[in-house]
Amino acid sequence: MNKSKLFSLLQYVIPQHLLSRLTGRLAECRIAWVKNQLIKLFIKHFNVDMSEALQEEPTAYANFNDFFTRELKPDAREILADPTQLVSPADGAISELGLLQHGQLLQAKGINYSLTRLLGGNLEKAQPFMGGSFATIYLSPSDYHRVHMPLQGRLLETIYVPGKLFSVNQATADNVPDLFARNERLVCFFETPAGPMALILVGAMIVAGIETVWDGQVAPPARQVTLKDFNDPQPVVLEKGQEMGRFKLGSTAILVFGPDAVVWNDYLQNGTKVKLGEALATLKVKN
């Protein structure tokens, strides 16, 4: 048995949520010597470039989570202004992308999973995206962990879906069926110039929380499906490149669009590194 398969199998038996919540408590620790040591070890191990951070001094952060979700300097990432271009919502690497085939997304070579299940199990919510396209972006521990808007959008509703907390790295994606549709996640539905868009923030092993700019921390809440409607007189409208959420420790963001909405750039494939603000696709703007 290879190491990737063994790593994936072990995740079925370890207490995923307990381990993640305990890690979350450690990441919130404000004891100076503890949090400073954690941050310095992390920077060294993952070769984090602190020159990009608005606060470059590691010991200035209140706790590990404060460091992990650090803000970048205003000029650290250029958001492509071209209105015909969809930009990357985060730093990371393309896990998979392409067309939705028969209501299925590609997770890894030879492994597909259900769009309906990913979006919370409601076929009506999934219907506008059938025949559309998707992109899955993996955020490694060393990446910047705020997620931004790939284009302008008005928030319609969110669905928090409780679930497992498998790791979301390539080794697990290659070996755990329905990975992204099994893990804890927040599904955000937007109305955009390219039609409907779903932006899904997927939780993972030792991820201590998922936050949004409109609701603060939304995971881990009560362990039940939670739907929130944002169609009110003061809607949440976010501009292209504006922050929409963040992960406390690494995970995955998935973009889903309807039919004939975007054309992915040809050079993008499994493993392609991307940066926040870089062009991912050409938009087919809806009238």
Side-chain angles (χ1 to χ4, degrees):
M1 183 181 296
N2 62 41
K3 291 181 180 180
S4 294
K5 184 70 172 179
L6 179 60
F7 172 69
S8 300
L9 289 175
L10 285 174
Q11 293 181 59
Y12 283 91
V13 297
I14 64 175
Q16 297 175 343
H17 287 276
L18 176 61
L19 178 61
S20 298
R21 301 319 173 220
L22 290 175
T23 303
R25 290 189 178 185
L26 180 60
E28 289 289 340
C29 177
R30 291 174 180 261
I31 300 172
W33 71 267
V34 175
K35 58 96 174 175
N36 289 342
Q37 187 69 4
L38 284 173
I39 292 169
K40 289 177 180 178
L41 286 172
F42 188 92
I43 291 171
K44 182 178 181 180
H45 182 74
F46 290 104
N47 195 27
V48 177
D49 184 2
M50 292 302 291
S51 69
E52 295 184 331
L54 187 62
Q55 174 53 261
E56 295 186 37
E57 174 50 52
T59 61
Y61 291 95
N63 53 36
F64 183 85
N65 275 336
D66 191 30
F67 152 74
F68 194 81
T69 58
R70 61 196 175 276
E71 184 178 0
L72 296 182
K73 292 174 181 174
D75 61 351
R77 298 287 182 275
E78 180 181 356
I79 307 298
L80 185 66
D82 186 342
T84 69
Q85 297 296 301
L86 177 84
V87 302
S88 177
D91 288 1
I94 298 295
S95 178
E96 296 292 347
L97 85 169
L99 297 176
L100 289 159
Q101 303 283 357
H102 308 293
Q104 300 279 305
L105 295 83
L106 179 63
Q107 175 178 303
K109 187 176 180 179
I111 303 175
N112 296 299
Y113 65 103
S114 164
L115 171 67
T116 301
R117 188 175 175 192
L118 175 68
L119 299 184
N122 187 323
L123 181 59
E124 184 179 348
K125 303 293 184 190
Q127 197 62 48
F129 302 101
M130 294 296 181
S133 56
F134 76 97
T136 304
I137 301 173
Y138 168 66
L139 288 71
S140 74
S142 61
D143 287 319
Y144 168 64
H145 274 79
R146 298 191 183 194
V147 181
H148 296 242
M149 291 293 290
L151 76 170
Q152 190 233 48
R154 180 171 70 89
L155 182 64
L156 301 177
E157 62 183 359
T158 63
I159 303 175
Y160 164 75
V161 186
K164 300 294 186 180
L165 288 174
F166 288 99
S167 169
V168 290
N169 62 18
Q170 192 63 52
T172 311
D174 288 342
N175 290 285
V176 177
D178 299 323
L179 173 63
F180 302 119
R182 297 172 78 166
N183 270 18
E184 178 179 74
R185 59 201 178 276
L186 180 72
V187 183
C188 306
F189 294 97
F190 291 91
E191 178 181 80
T192 80
M197 175 185 78
L199 178 47
I200 302 100
L201 305 180
V202 184
M205 186 77 70
I206 74 170
V207 173
I210 297 172
E211 294 185 357
T212 65
V213 297
W214 56 83
D215 259 350
Q217 183 152 321
V218 293
R223 304 289 300 158
Q224 60 184 13
V225 174
T226 306
L227 188 147
K228 293 191 70 172
D229 189 335
F230 289 87
N231 285 298
D232 58 38
Q234 294 183 326
V236 176
V237 178
L238 300 174
E239 298 301 322
K240 182 180 184 180
Q242 187 174 347
E243 182 187 346
M244 61 79 61
R246 63 187 69 173
F247 291 112
K248 294 179 177 178
L249 295 181
S251 199
T252 291
I254 303 173
L255 289 169
V256 182
F257 288 92
D260 301 316
V262 301
V263 178
W264 302 114
N265 290 340
D266 291 338
Y267 69 89
L268 297 174
Q269 59 184 337
N270 176 278
T272 302
K273 295 286 188 180
V274 294
K275 289 286 189 182
L276 167 66
E278 290 181 356
L280 291 185
T282 300
L283 297 172
K284 294 185 176 181
V285 177
K286 306 295 183 180
N287 295 322

